[in-house]
Structures are given as structure tokens and as C-alpha cells.
């Protein structure tokens, strides 16, 4: 009899312990809030505006360069030290050059100037062996920037049309300190937040799709005169979507105004063919291309980007972490590109919020999802101060029904930051 009481008491204590561990002691779960989103779905808004700055836009070039440099430094650090060291390369500035584009081919007379700044660990002190390990931050950064530009702006002459100046500030770290923090959860570098939403609206998907199509390798082979500096502005009014597109052209492929107009007509025709699908059958879509053109002024460039002609750029001034600018959605103003993927909340939480929202949006019964994650400086990055999930549900579904699955998704992504980090370093996850 006494043994049974003791066994029952023991089981009861274990149950209470497990309960508190799972539902009270787990900071992640306790800090995840799921609630109803008290607003109409984005598709029910009478008006929606969406923008994407293409890969050749001066701001996007800065984002891409900053991220390419960070990725290259991460790989270099892992190869030479075995772990990723502190760096932030999100301070890339582009000063526009000066060019004389001409039908048949012009020239760049003042090169584009790109400044790489920020901070990175340039040396590691090995006290045990009484030596300092020097790390080639500057050369790695410049090489990464040059390779990114070469692969992005295909008609640029890297020797004459652009100058890359590396002024990344140096830093050092103790080798023992580096390896003592291996396999530990990094601490948040700041009290900041990240934002994400899903699924994309019809207009959002359309804007992204059109820019990516115009900058695809396949279309460039077919119409080489299309440059990389492309901006797509989408306006939806009810069921009418207007796409206003600024598309740079490359002068050496165009010998007359008539040929220029033919390039525009072909590009517009290709876009209309692209969007003539079942997905957009309920929408009236108007495509407007290079609306600022006049008889004596057309969007003609030497390189394919307006960076050659006075247009400046800066990291974080363009697309958000999901690749779009969406003023009708919750957004963070944080620059994501170039920040280190270890503990910089400006990068991690914006990417994580987007990923969480996308996965929750796939749950049966979810119509729309908004995610906001707030960090607290000095706390583990997988233990946010709050992770707020707002949902619009389909008819016949409730928040209570979806909440456990939503929390499970958020918890998984929080506790698998390493998986996200590796995808960022490999370039699998885009930051702009």
C-alpha cells in the first residue's frame, strides 16, 4: 500500500515538473503570443501599393555588395579560424559616376565609386602560442564586391567603370574567447525587432515576378539591350493593377530611337505574355514602361545602371528582407544586408519573422499572418522578449485551433537558428 502511494506521489511530482518545464519554464513558448488580426485581409483593401527595386538599382547594388562581403568573410573566418567572427559590413555607399550614353555605344567618363565600410575582425590573438593571426579582411571584401558587381551588371567594365574603396574598420579578438563560445547560443547585439508577413498578395507576387523576369538570364539573352536597373511600382485599385516600370537600356545594343522603342515594345509584350495566366484572370492589368521618355530623353545607359550617371545608393534604402517595399503591410526600417548572421537582430529577426510567417501561412485555415519579434540586448537570440503572431483565419477556423501549430513552427525556427544562418551564408536566403 505504501509503495503504491510513493509511486503515485513520484509520478505526480514528475508530471508537475514536466508541465512547468514545457509550459512555464520554457521562455520561448511563454513569450510567443498568437492572436486575431483585427483588420481586413490585404486583398480586401480598396488600394494597395507595392514596389521592388531591381538588382541593378543603386540601393540594391549596395545591399547586394554588403551581403556578398559578409558571406565571403563568414567563409574566410570559418576556413581560417573554424568559426564566424564579429563583423558588420552594412555600411556600403555608392556615389554615382558620370557617363555619356549614346545610341550605338557611349562611355563612362567618371567611374562609379563604392565605399565599403563597417567593422570586421582583422586579427585573432593566440595567447597560448604567443602569436597573432592576421586575417585578410580587406582583400576578401574587395574581391567579393568585384565578383558580385561582375555577376550582376553584365555590361560594366570593372577596370574602368567602377572604383571600390575598402575602409572596413579593424577589430581583434582573443582566440580562447572565440572557442569558449562555440556551440553556445549567441546573445542579442541590440534591443530591436524584426517583422514578416505572409502570404504575398497578388500584387506583391506580380511585382516581384516581373522584376525577376526582366532581370533573368533567359530574357537578357533574347533582349540584351535590357539593363539591370529596373524598378517596378505596382498599384492595385480594386481589381485593376497598374505596373509602372522604369527599365534601363544598354546603348551599345541600340542604334536608333526606333530600335529603342522596339526594345520597349518587345519587353512590354513579354511582360504581358508572362502575366497572361489563370492566376490573374480576375484582374485588369496595365503595363506602363519608361513613362518619363521624351523625344530627346530616353532611359539609355552605357552599363545598364543609373549608378553611372549621378544616382547614388546606400544599404537599407530599398527592398526589405522579403524583397519588396510594402507600405500597406507592417515593415521594419532595419537594413538587413551585410549584418553578421550570428547575433545581429537586424538581420536574424527580420529573416526569421518572414520565415515564420510563410510557414504559418501554409497551415490549413490561415488566410494571413503577421509576425513581429522583439529582442532584448544581452539575452540569447532564441529567447525573444516577445514573438507576436497575428492571424486572419478562413471561415470555419479559429485562432484556438491554429495556435498550437503556429507556436510549434515559431519554436522550431527559434531553436534552429544555425540552419537559417547556413542558408544565409550560402546565399540560399536573400536579404533584399
Amino acid at each position: 500500500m505504501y509503495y503504491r502511494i510513493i509511486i503515485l506521489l513520484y509520478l505526480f511530482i514528475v508530471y508537475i515538473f514536466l508541465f512547468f518545464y514545457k509550459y512555464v519554464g520554457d521562455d520561448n513558448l511563454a513569450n510567443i503570443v498568437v492572436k486575431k488580426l483585427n483588420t481586413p485581409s490585404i486583398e480586401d483593401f480598396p488600394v494597395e501599393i507595392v514596389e521592388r527595386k531591381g538588382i541593378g538599382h543603386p540601393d540594391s547594388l549596395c545591399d547586394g555588395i554588403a551581403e556578398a562581403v559578409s558571406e565571403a568573410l563568414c567563409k574566410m573566418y570559418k576556413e581560417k579560424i573554424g568559426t564566424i567572427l564579429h563583423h558588420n559590413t552594412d555600411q556600403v555607399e555608392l556615389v554615382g559616376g558620370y557617363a555619356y550614353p549614346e545610341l550605338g555605344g557611349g562611355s563612362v567618363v567618371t567611374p562609379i565609386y563604392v565605399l565599403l565600410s563597417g567593422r570586421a575582425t582583422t586579427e585573432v590573438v593566440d595567447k597560448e602560442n604567443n602569436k597573432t593571426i592576421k586575417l585578410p579582411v580587406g582583400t576578401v571584401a574587395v574581391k567579393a564586391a568585384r565578383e558580385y558587381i561582375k555577376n550582376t551588371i553584365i555590361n560594366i567594365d570593372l577596370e574602368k567603370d567602377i572604383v571600390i574603396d575598402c575602409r572596413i574598420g579593424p577589430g581583434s579578438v582573443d582566440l580562447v574567447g572565440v572557442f569558449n563560445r562555440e556551440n553556445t547560443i549567441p546573445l542579442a547585439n541590440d534591443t530591436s525587432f524584426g517583422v514578416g508577413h505572409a502570404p504575398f498578395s497578388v500584387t506583391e507576387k506580380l511585382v516581384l515576378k516581373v522584376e525577376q523576369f526582366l532581370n533573368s538570364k533567359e530574357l537578357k539573352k533574347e533582349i540584351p539591350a535590357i539593363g539591370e536597373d529596373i524598378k517596378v511600382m505596382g498599384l492595385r485599385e480594386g481589381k485593376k493593377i497598374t505596373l509602372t516600370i522604369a527599365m534601363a537600356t544598354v546603348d551599345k545594343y541600340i542604334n536608333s530611337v526606333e530600335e529603342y522603342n522596339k526594345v520597349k515594345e518587345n519587353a512590354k509584350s513579354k511582360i504581358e505574355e508572362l502575366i497572361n495566366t489563370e492566376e490573374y484572370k480576375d484582374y485588369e492589368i496595365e503595363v506602363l514602361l519608361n513613362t518619363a521618355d521624351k523625344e530627346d530623353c530616353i532611359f539609355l545607359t552605357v552599363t545598364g545602371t543609373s549608378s553611372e550617371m549621378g544616382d547614388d545608393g546606400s544599404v537599407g534604402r530599398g527592398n526589405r528582407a522579403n524583397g519588396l517595399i510594402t507600405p500597406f503591410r507592417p515593415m521594419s526600417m532595419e537594413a538587413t544586408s551585410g549584418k553578421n548572421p550570428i547575433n545581429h537582430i537586424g538581420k536574424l529577426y527580420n529573416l526569421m519573422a518572414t520565415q515564420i510567417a510563410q510557414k504559418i501561412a501554409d497551415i490549413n485555415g490561415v488566410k494571413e499572418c503577421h509576425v513581429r519579434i522583439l529582442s532584448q540586448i544581452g539575452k540569447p537570440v532564441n529567447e525573444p522578449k516577445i514573438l507576436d503572431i497575428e492571424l486572419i483565419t478562413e471561415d470555419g477556423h479559429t485562432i484556438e485551433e491554429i495556435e498550437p501549430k503556429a507556436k510549434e513552427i515559431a519554436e522550431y525556427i527559434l531553436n534552429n537558428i544555425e540552419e537559417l544562418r547556413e542558408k544565409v551564408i550560402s546565399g540560399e536566403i536573400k536579404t533584399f
Side-chain angles (χ1 to χ4, degrees):
M1 181 68 176
Y2 290 112
Y3 287 113
R4 289 181 181 176
I5 293 173
I6 291 171
I7 290 171
L8 289 172
L9 184 61
Y10 173 77
L11 291 173
F12 177 74
I13 292 170
V14 170
Y15 173 80
I16 293 296
F17 173 79
L18 291 174
F19 176 85
F20 272 87
Y21 177 78
K22 183 171 181 59
Y23 296 103
V24 180
D26 192 322
D27 289 336
N28 290 355
L29 204 58
N31 293 343
I32 299 174
V33 176
V34 181
K35 62 182 189 291
K36 182 179 179 181
L37 179 57
N38 291 309
T39 182
S41 172
I42 189 68
E43 300 291 1
D44 295 326
F45 280 36
V47 172
E48 181 186 5
I49 299 170
V50 181
E51 180 184 1
R52 174 161 170 84
K53 294 180 178 179
I55 57 173
H57 188 284
D59 292 330
S60 295
L61 276 176
C62 290
D63 286 330
I65 292 167
E67 190 61 16
V69 170
S70 174
E71 290 171 11
L73 290 179
C74 286
K75 291 170 185 174
M76 182 270 287
Y77 287 142
K78 291 191 81 170
E79 179 185 332
K80 293 188 176 295
I81 303 298
T83 189
I84 298 171
L85 301 179
H86 173 72
H87 69 279
N88 287 310
T89 59
D90 56 333
Q91 299 296 318
V92 175
E93 299 292 333
L94 184 152
V95 180
Y98 199 80
Y100 286 109
E102 295 180 3
L103 293 167
S107 60
V108 176
V109 294
T110 301
I112 301 162
Y113 174 80
V114 174
L115 175 64
L116 309 180
S117 59
R119 291 280 169 179
T121 304
T122 54
E123 59 182 40
V124 173
V125 180
D126 185 353
K127 292 179 179 178
E128 185 176 331
N129 296 305
N130 193 29
K131 67 176 182 178
T132 299
I133 303 170
K134 302 287 186 179
L135 299 165
V137 166
T139 52
V140 168
V142 171
K143 181 182 178 183
R146 290 178 68 84
E147 286 182 351
Y148 180 80
I149 295 165
K150 178 182 178 181
N151 293 329
T152 304
I153 309 298
I154 58 179
N155 289 291
I156 200 165
D157 186 331
L158 288 176
E159 300 302 320
K160 298 188 301 181
D161 298 342
I162 193 159
V163 172
I164 300 173
D165 185 6
C166 183
R167 290 289 183 269
I168 296 174
S172 64
V173 68
D174 189 325
L175 187 62
V176 175
V178 170
F179 287 105
N180 280 349
R181 70 167 183 258
E182 280 289 277
N183 301 318
T184 62
I185 298 298
L187 306 180
N189 76 313
D190 193 9
T191 300
S192 188
F193 63 88
V195 176
H197 72 265
F200 277 179
S201 69
V202 168
T203 311
E204 288 168 344
K205 287 188 284 188
L206 184 61
V207 166
L208 184 62
K209 185 176 185 178
V210 168
E211 187 278 327
Q212 290 177 337
F213 171 71
L214 288 174
N215 267 320
S216 65
K217 291 180 180 178
E218 293 75 21
L219 189 63
K220 290 287 195 291
K221 287 179 182 177
E222 190 173 345
I223 314 177
I226 296 176
E228 289 78 26
D229 192 348
I230 293 164
K231 187 170 86 168
V232 181
M233 182 69 74
L235 166 64
R236 179 180 60 77
E237 300 168 281
K239 290 292 185 180
K240 180 183 178 181
I241 299 175
T242 304
L243 298 178
T244 303
I245 302 167
M247 183 188 77
T249 58
V250 182
D251 60 4
K252 67 182 179 182
Y253 301 109
I254 300 172
N255 295 303
S256 65
V257 173
E258 289 73 25
E259 284 188 21
Y260 172 81
N261 288 330
K262 187 66 175 176
V263 168
K264 282 175 55 177
E265 289 170 13
N266 286 346
K268 182 179 178 182
S269 176
K270 291 291 182 183
I271 294 167
E272 290 171 342
E273 184 181 323
L274 175 76
I275 63 181
N276 185 25
T277 65
E278 188 71 15
E279 184 178 3
Y280 308 115
K281 65 180 178 61
D282 296 329
Y283 295 83
E284 175 193 348
I285 302 175
E286 182 181 18
V287 178
L288 303 175
L289 194 60
N290 290 3
T291 56
D293 283 351
K294 298 184 177 73
E295 284 187 15
D296 58 345
C297 182
I298 56 179
F299 197 174
L300 196 67
T301 69
V302 179
T303 61
T305 172
S306 60
S307 303
E308 70 178 36
M309 196 63 177
D311 276 6
D312 303 328
S314 185
V315 172
R317 210 166 61 176
N319 307 323
R320 301 299 89 197
N322 62 7
L324 296 170
I325 302 168
T326 52
F328 281 63
R329 302 279 209 162
M331 289 197 305
S332 165
M333 294 307 295
E334 189 82 51
T336 306
S337 300
K339 289 178 166 61
N340 82 74
I342 301 298
N343 72 337
H344 207 303
I345 296 306
K347 169 168 272 180
L348 288 174
Y349 276 17
N350 279 298
L351 295 176
M352 289 169 68
T354 299
Q355 201 171 69
I356 290 169
Q358 288 170 344
K359 290 186 179 298
I360 291 175
D362 288 336
I363 297 174
N364 184 38
V366 174
K367 190 173 184 179
E368 197 169 307
C369 176
H370 293 181
V371 175
R372 300 173 181 86
I373 318 176
L374 174 66
S375 68
Q376 195 169 48
I377 190 168
K379 298 292 184 182
V381 293
N382 67 338
E383 295 179 15
K385 185 67 176 173
I386 195 73
L387 195 161
D388 182 72
I389 300 169
E390 291 185 315
L391 301 175
I392 297 176
T393 60
E394 300 281 1
D395 292 341
H397 296 271
T398 65
I399 297 292
E400 292 73 23
E401 163 196 344
I402 296 165
E403 182 177 5
K405 298 173 186 175
K407 283 188 173 183
E408 184 181 341
I409 288 169
E411 184 82 359
Y412 176 84
I413 291 175
L414 281 174
N415 289 326
N416 286 273
I417 291 177
E418 184 62 33
E419 183 180 321
L420 175 75
R421 183 179 300 134
E422 290 304 315
K423 288 181 178 180
V424 170
I425 295 170
S426 68
E428 186 177 342
I429 291 180
K430 303 301 180 184
T431 58
F432 68 99

